[in-house]
Amino acid sequence: MGERDYPMKEIALHLLDLAENSVSAGAKTVQISICEDQNADLLTASIEDDGRGMTPEMVKIVTDPFVTSRTTRKVGLGIPLLKGAAEECNGGLQISSTPGVGTRVEVSFQHSHIDRMPLGNLAATFLGLSVAHPEVHWVFRYTARNNGAEETFEYDDQPIKETLEGLSITHPEVLAYLRGMLEEGIGAAKSILNE
Amino acid sequence: MPTVKSLEDLKKIREEALKKRDIKSAPGSVQIVVGMGTPGIAAGARETLKEILGIIEEKNLTNITVRQTGNIGMDSWEPIVQVVVGEAAPVTYGKVTPAAARQIMEQHIMDGKVVNDYVIPA
């Protein structure tokens, strides 16, 4: 991978990619957490699901498909690209997975690193997942830390879906409500960070 | 700072929507599926989905189900969007940029005319 201008240049797009993996793995509940910590100069993101999980061998394949090239299984490049991008920014990517229990992927970056990809549009990623995979229970958490202050926004779509009681989640006013909730909630938490 | 949206607000939206339901029932339901595998995301499928949801909001469209799905396996056509209107056969569109998505929403979903320019040839 000589060039680094691959098109998934937002952490929010990589999280979407990972979330699709969780859905494909049959997850019923998926939790995505992001923390921008300017005190510790660290950006971490994690996704945890209760899908079918992977064997240690499979984890190796999805992390380093070039090292384990004898496989005939088709594996996407999303995870190795994200891992490479994190390592370039003094961070890394870890996968822990148990077959039958679920998978957790965690990625970290030095927050202030000049090459760190932007966080990107978390609200658009979250809205799409919550609305277009309504069969999955989504929990999204965004935390900002700066100067000893901490703000967290949490979006759990279970109570929302219960409140809808049969009204479509794609009803235009419901979409406006959810979009506003995500954009305002993340924006408010983010406002304690320095530019 | 904006007031935090509460579930009470959502309950009100629900009550209002149910009151209006009999007045504003669209003819037949619509299903839209956006391919959101790695190649789709890399080609811009999230922006396509964002535009579709934005148009539903903007044009106040009801009876539309939106789904995202994993890799479809036609990478060169991403972003891919499939549209099913009522009982009609599914129409699969390729290279659906946000601008193309708007055209599909306005012509196909709202006006019933397939947008041939973006249909993936069988």
Side-chain angles (χ1 to χ4, degrees):
Chain A
M1 200 84 14
E3 289 298 316
R4 46 164 87 163
D5 62 324
Y6 66 95
M8 272 167 58
K9 48 186 182 295
E10 273 185 25
I11 292 168
L13 289 177
H14 279 282
L15 292 172
L16 176 55
D17 186 43
L18 293 169
E20 274 303 325
N21 294 346
S22 294
V23 175
S24 303
K28 290 190 175 66
T29 299
V30 183
Q31 301 194 50
I32 303 179
S33 302
I34 294 104
C35 179
E36 286 195 83
D37 188 338
Q38 286 187 319
N39 297 328
D41 194 16
L42 197 62
L43 190 157
T44 54
S46 67
I47 175 163
E48 193 169 342
D49 70 50
D50 59 356
R52 70 179 70 90
M54 291 180 282
T55 61
E57 185 207 16
M58 191 62 198
V59 170
K60 253 181 236 158
I61 295 169
V62 299
T63 318
D64 288 305
F66 302 113
V67 177
T68 43
S69 59
R70 292 249 174 108
T71 177
T72 51
R73 236 179 301 197
K74 196 170 180 249
V75 174
L77 289 179
I79 290 173
L81 286 171
L82 181 59
K83 182 168 184 266
E87 286 170 353
E88 276 180 39
C89 299
N90 302 323
L93 180 143
Q94 286 84 37
I95 303 179
S96 46
S97 191
T98 310
V101 178
T103 300
R104 179 185 164 87
V105 180
E106 185 168 335
V107 63
S108 63
F109 296 81
Q110 181 190 334
H111 193 280
S112 65
H113 198 286
I114 190 94
D115 290 327
R116 177 178 63 78
M117 69 175 94
L119 194 50
N121 196 339
L122 285 177
T125 288
F126 292 163
L127 181 67
L129 287 170
S130 184
V131 166
H133 280 305
E135 73 283 9
V136 177
H137 170 207
W138 297 99
V139 181
F140 305 129
R141 208 171 285 114
Y142 171 82
T143 302
R145 287 197 195 109
N146 189 24
N147 288 328
E150 178 174 309
E151 287 290 338
T152 295
F153 167 74
E154 191 178 282
Y155 174 101
D156 180 336
D157 74 0
Q158 188 136 301
I160 291 167
K161 285 168 183 164
E162 282 165 8
T163 304
L164 286 173
E165 280 179 84
L167 178 65
S168 171
I169 197 162
T170 47
H171 186 283
E173 282 171 45
V174 176
L175 282 179
Y177 169 88
L178 297 177
R179 187 177 53 76
M181 186 186 218
L182 287 162
E183 287 174 355
E184 287 162 21
I186 294 167
K190 224 175 166 38
S191 67
I192 68 163
L193 297 176
N194 302 329
E195 275 304 308
Chain B
M1 208 163 87
T3 49
V4 177
K5 289 184 164 31
S6 70
L7 286 175
E8 287 306 313
D9 299 331
L10 189 59
K11 278 182 193 151
K12 275 179 216 143
I13 291 171
R14 183 176 176 278
E15 282 160 23
E16 288 300 311
L18 291 181
K19 258 187 246 167
K20 282 187 255 171
R21 184 167 276 180
D22 44 351
I23 308 162
K24 247 200 144 179
S25 58
S29 61
V30 172
Q31 192 177 22
I32 300 173
V33 183
V34 181
M36 205 62 79
T38 309
I41 297 169
R46 194 201 54 195
E47 295 311 297
T48 301
L49 174 63
K50 181 169 172 275
E51 183 73 2
I52 290 168
L53 297 177
I55 293 167
I56 291 174
E57 223 187 276
E58 175 194 319
K59 307 275 187 192
N60 205 23
L61 305 176
T62 50
N63 287 339
I64 299 178
T65 306
V66 181
R67 292 296 178 121
Q68 62 188 51
T69 187
N71 203 352
I72 294 164
M74 298 189 287
D75 294 7
S76 60
W77 288 98
E78 297 282 2
I80 295 171
V81 174
Q82 190 177 70
V83 173
V84 185
V85 179
E87 302 296 304
V91 178
T92 306
Y93 292 106
K95 299 187 179 174
V96 185
T97 59
R102 176 166 290 271
Q103 212 179 322
I104 291 163
M105 293 300 285
E106 290 178 354
Q107 286 181 32
H108 191 167
I109 311 293
M110 296 175 71
D111 207 18
K113 293 176 190 135
V114 173
V115 186
N116 290 314
D117 289 358
Y118 296 106
V119 175
I120 298 179

